[in-house]
Amino acid sequence: MPRLLDRAMAGTVQLLPRRIVRRVSERYIAGETLADALATVRRLSAGGCLGTVDLLGEHVTSRQQPLATKAAYREAIQRLAEEKLPAGVSVKPTALGLAVDRDLCLQSLREVAAAAAQHGRFMRVDMEESHYTTSTLELVHELHADHANVGAVIQARLRRSPDDIEGLLRERISVRLCKGIYQEPPDVALQDFDQIRTAYLRLLDRLLEAGCYVGIATHDRWLAERSLEIVRHHGLGRHQYEFQMLMGVAEPLRRRLVTARHRVRVYVPYGGDWYAYSLRRLQENPQIATSIALSLIGRATVTSR
Ligand SMILES: Cc1cc2nc3c(=O)[nH]c(=O)nc-3n(C[C@H](O)[C@H](O)[C@H](O)COP(=O)(O)OP(=O)(O)OC[C@H]3O[C@@H](n4cnc5c(N)ncnc54)[C@H](O)[C@@H]3O)c2cc1C
């Protein structure tokens, strides 16, 4: 019953007042400025983790915004390098204008990738909704032809992913493997929790067997344990794969992995455009959605007395 309530509440987080979303999602976001992101990476690094820095924002519709985003990424890369912090960047194609002008997006991604390469950093191209999958993978292939420091993301829930990884393997492109966060229709994506886990493990096995460097992105303890069995089965050393986790999520699991000397990279989002990202995090954490809703109801009852 509580789980049913949690699930029902998760569907209503977009009704929460913006200021509440902001307050509760603070643990998922480094802050609004690059200085906040750098401070978080520094802290994570002291705790034995690597980072990947993401400037919040997506689905931009103007031609100006991608230029500002590109400049912000270049600055972030330079500062990470100056401070010798162990982190790269993650970039969303729609933040760099994919929905506005594909060529503008490619050009901006090229410039960020080149800046990252110049400073010995990695650029991961995040994966968004499934109608962007083909264009995003094409961008990654084009970028990787000139910049080996560019990697892709594969969403295990997508039915097309077994085919997509073969293309990436041919080019020896590094993959972040995740379940996939976006709601997709049944003809595009698996809907069943166990089927998604099974698909994830099959993809991981295939990627590792073929020598791909994989970012195993999950907070699902069961999945992390099965993934480790696959890593061991392939006899990999600790520099041949890494775990990836989001800031503020499943920190006990993260600590356990670090203590066991696995490489762990944490996704560090920052910037003023925090709302869409925060909603997704809250929807993924139904208990939080329920406790916020209950505390709001409690407060409303008290005020109305
Ligand atoms: C580093 C990283 C990068 C990612 N990049 C992408 C991307 O580019 N494209 C994309 O579609 N998806 C991306 N994702 C999200 C991913 O696809 C999943 O939606 C997300 O990781 C949840 O799946 P899970 O494997 O952690 O398992 P789940 O079964 O969803 O979660 C496992 C456990 O973690 C808890 N948990 C999960 N999220 C939260 C939260 N927000 N707060 C508190 N507890 C939580 C759950 O409650 C559960 O107990 C990324 C994830 C990570 C870790």
Side-chain angles (χ1 to χ4, degrees):
M1 182 63 186
R3 290 191 62 152
L4 272 180
L5 178 65
D6 288 342
R7 262 189 239 128
M9 286 300 168
T12 65
V13 289
Q14 62 270 50
L15 303 176
L16 292 171
R18 230 177 133 86
R19 75 194 149 75
I20 303 280
V21 172
R22 174 65 213 254
R23 206 176 61 223
V24 193
S25 53
E26 263 162 17
R27 59 191 276 210
Y28 303 124
I29 292 168
E32 298 215 357
T33 66
L34 175 57
D36 295 327
L38 296 172
T40 302
V41 174
R42 229 175 276 127
R43 212 167 36 246
L44 287 165
S45 166
C49 293
L50 309 165
T52 182
V53 171
D54 164 62
L55 177 61
L56 289 165
E58 53 199 89
H59 300 133
V60 303
T61 51
S62 82
R63 298 179 69 86
Q64 281 69 45
Q65 185 58 41
L67 302 179
T69 301
K70 175 181 70 179
Y73 267 111
R74 294 178 62 137
E75 188 189 352
I77 290 163
Q78 190 168 340
R79 294 287 305 281
L80 287 168
E82 278 166 10
E83 293 202 30
K84 297 189 171 42
L85 290 171
V89 291
S90 285
V91 184
K92 285 191 171 42
T94 69
L96 286 174
L98 180 57
V100 184
D101 178 343
R102 187 214 185 252
D103 291 341
L104 173 77
C105 176
L106 176 59
Q107 184 51 33
S108 300
L109 284 168
R110 276 194 195 287
E111 288 178 38
V112 179
Q118 188 194 338
H119 293 289
R121 309 279 142 169
F122 196 79
M123 181 179 97
R124 180 76 59 183
V125 182
D126 284 346
M127 189 57 79
E128 302 175 84
E129 294 88 342
S130 63
H131 50 269
Y132 293 118
T133 308
T134 299
S135 47
T136 300
L137 288 175
E138 283 171 4
L139 289 170
V140 170
H141 280 280
E142 280 183 61
L143 291 162
H144 188 266
D146 294 325
H147 302 288
N149 62 320
V150 172
V153 175
I154 286 289
Q155 297 158 324
R157 68 168 61 216
L158 293 197
R159 295 182 188 278
R160 57 180 286 166
S161 289
D163 293 332
D164 289 338
I165 62 169
E166 295 305 323
L168 295 166
L169 285 174
R170 273 194 293 278
E171 310 280 330
R172 307 194 66 75
I173 298 176
S174 155
V175 170
R176 171 197 294 154
L177 182 62
C178 64
K179 286 181 180 170
I181 196 171
Y182 302 95
Q183 296 296 323
E184 304 285 356
D187 59 320
V188 171
L190 303 170
Q191 310 290 318
D192 178 76
F193 187 78
D194 290 330
Q195 283 182 9
I196 295 170
R197 275 177 161 176
T198 304
Y200 190 107
L201 293 173
R202 280 208 190 107
L203 290 164
L204 179 64
D205 190 37
R206 171 71 188 125
L207 288 165
L208 293 181
E209 171 196 55
C212 179
Y213 185 89
V214 184
I216 305 169
T218 186
H219 318 101
D220 177 342
R221 209 173 58 201
W222 183 90
L223 196 56
E225 279 161 13
R226 299 292 83 73
S227 297
L228 272 176
E229 286 168 12
I230 296 177
V231 164
R232 279 187 217 110
H233 171 77
H234 291 290
L236 301 181
R238 62 185 295 267
H239 292 292
Q240 292 174 288
Y241 65 92
E242 66 185 40
F243 282 90
Q244 296 191 354
M245 303 179 75
L246 300 173
M247 183 185 159
V249 180
E251 287 171 2
L253 174 61
R254 186 171 95 200
R255 281 193 291 275
R256 266 209 303 283
L257 290 168
V258 171
T259 305
R261 299 188 38 77
H262 299 291
R263 257 190 188 172
V264 180
R265 187 176 306 274
V266 179
Y267 192 94
V268 178
Y270 79 98
D273 207 348
W274 48 268
Y275 187 67
Y277 182 87
S278 301
L279 279 191
R280 287 202 296 273
R281 297 282 76 76
L282 294 183
Q283 277 162 339
E284 271 190 341
N285 187 0
Q287 290 98 332
I288 281 208
T290 304
S291 59
I292 302 167
L294 290 177
S295 71
L296 285 176
I297 293 166
R299 224 167 353 160
T301 317
V302 171
T303 357
S304 64
R305 265 192 214 140

